[in-house]
Amino acid sequence: MNVIFLGAPGAGKGTMAEVVTAKLGIPSISTGNILREAKAKGTPAGLAAKEYMDKGELVPDDVVIGVLKDRIAQDDCQKGFILDGFPRTVAQAEALDKMGVKIDKVIEIDIADEKIISRLVDRRVCTKCGASYHLKNKPTNVEGVCNLCGGKVEARVDDQPDVVLSRLKTYHEKTAPLKGYYEKKGILVTVNGENGIEATAKPILETLQG
């Protein structure tokens, strides 16, 4: 089962990916993490990405997908994988299709903008492993310390209210059109993300296990 999670910043994609990974045993893949990993390992695609990353430039779609293909060829992806944060545009989705990466389901987590803004103000993220927490809904066991790796947990710079508004605008303009793209393929499932972790996870797991 190869899955994409769609949703605005703060919709809960990372949290739901953790739930599905724990339940189904398929890895969650963040493109940012795999680019850094491929660069560190010095794979051909990683070296191609390094040229752009070292200059602070955006890595081109074909290079990102090349790194992605290397990652999903690894043993832990044989039963499937979750893509979190990619594709971000219809052009990236088309490039993914052209390179033969098959997607079985696209889960859109739907949540109103005003709820996202209030949610992100209280979001905290591990600086080491990237795990997501929330001061009210999903606090760490020890304040400021990641439950998974012991790394430092803090607010992200891009979770400030003015930055969140800008990110939401970008999402609605560039990423939201992906809903129509995957709807036409008959693989889009929309889930209400406003009712807490368990209520959001239930229909997602039913869809993926059905």
Side-chain angles (χ1 to χ4, degrees):
M1 178 68 73
N2 302 334
V3 183
I4 290 171
F5 275 112
L6 274 186
K13 300 185 296 297
T15 299
M16 287 302 108
E18 286 176 18
V19 170
V20 174
T21 292
K23 197 79 175 174
L24 303 185
I26 58 176
S28 173
I29 298 170
S30 153
T31 45
N33 289 346
I34 61 167
L35 282 171
R36 286 186 287 274
E37 189 180 299
K39 177 184 167 187
K41 286 182 178 174
T43 64
L47 291 172
K50 182 179 186 296
E51 286 183 36
Y52 297 93
M53 294 168 79
D54 287 351
K55 294 177 193 169
E57 297 174 0
L58 282 177
V59 180
D61 292 350
D62 60 335
V63 177
V64 175
I65 294 172
V67 171
L68 183 63
K69 285 193 83 173
D70 286 348
R71 175 65 185 88
I72 63 181
Q74 292 177 22
D75 290 345
D76 64 337
C77 293
Q78 295 312 299
K79 289 196 295 181
F81 54 82
I82 302 160
L83 293 185
D84 173 10
F86 190 90
R88 290 182 185 269
T89 63
V90 170
Q92 289 180 347
E94 290 171 343
L96 204 59
D97 289 342
K98 281 177 188 166
M99 292 192 75
V101 179
K102 183 179 181 293
I103 301 299
D104 299 297
K105 289 287 180 190
V106 177
I107 308 288
E108 181 211 1
I109 302 173
D110 188 39
I111 179 167
D113 285 3
E114 58 267 24
K115 293 213 172 187
I116 282 177
I117 293 164
S118 64
R119 180 182 282 188
L120 289 186
V121 169
D122 288 332
R123 178 163 77 170
R124 299 293 181 267
V125 178
C126 176
T127 55
K128 189 175 176 185
C129 75
S132 290
Y133 298 93
H134 190 274
L135 293 181
K136 299 188 187 80
N137 302 332
K138 191 188 173 189
T140 53
N141 296 332
V142 177
E143 188 176 344
V145 179
C146 178
N147 297 351
L148 302 177
C149 74
K152 185 180 179 186
V153 173
E154 60 186 23
R156 284 173 23 171
V157 175
D158 56 359
D159 282 345
Q160 301 304 316
D162 56 334
V163 182
V164 170
L165 286 171
S166 174
R167 292 171 69 203
L168 283 170
K169 183 172 182 287
T170 300
Y171 171 78
H172 289 304
E173 288 174 357
K174 296 190 173 179
T175 307
L178 281 167
K179 291 189 287 185
Y181 182 81
Y182 287 117
E183 197 167 28
K184 284 178 188 170
K185 291 177 175 285
I187 57 174
L188 180 74
V189 177
T190 299
V191 171
N192 185 335
E194 297 187 357
N195 300 320
I197 293 172
E198 285 186 20
T200 305
K202 187 172 184 287
I204 292 175
L205 290 169
E206 285 172 355
T207 296
L208 299 182
Q209 291 176 312

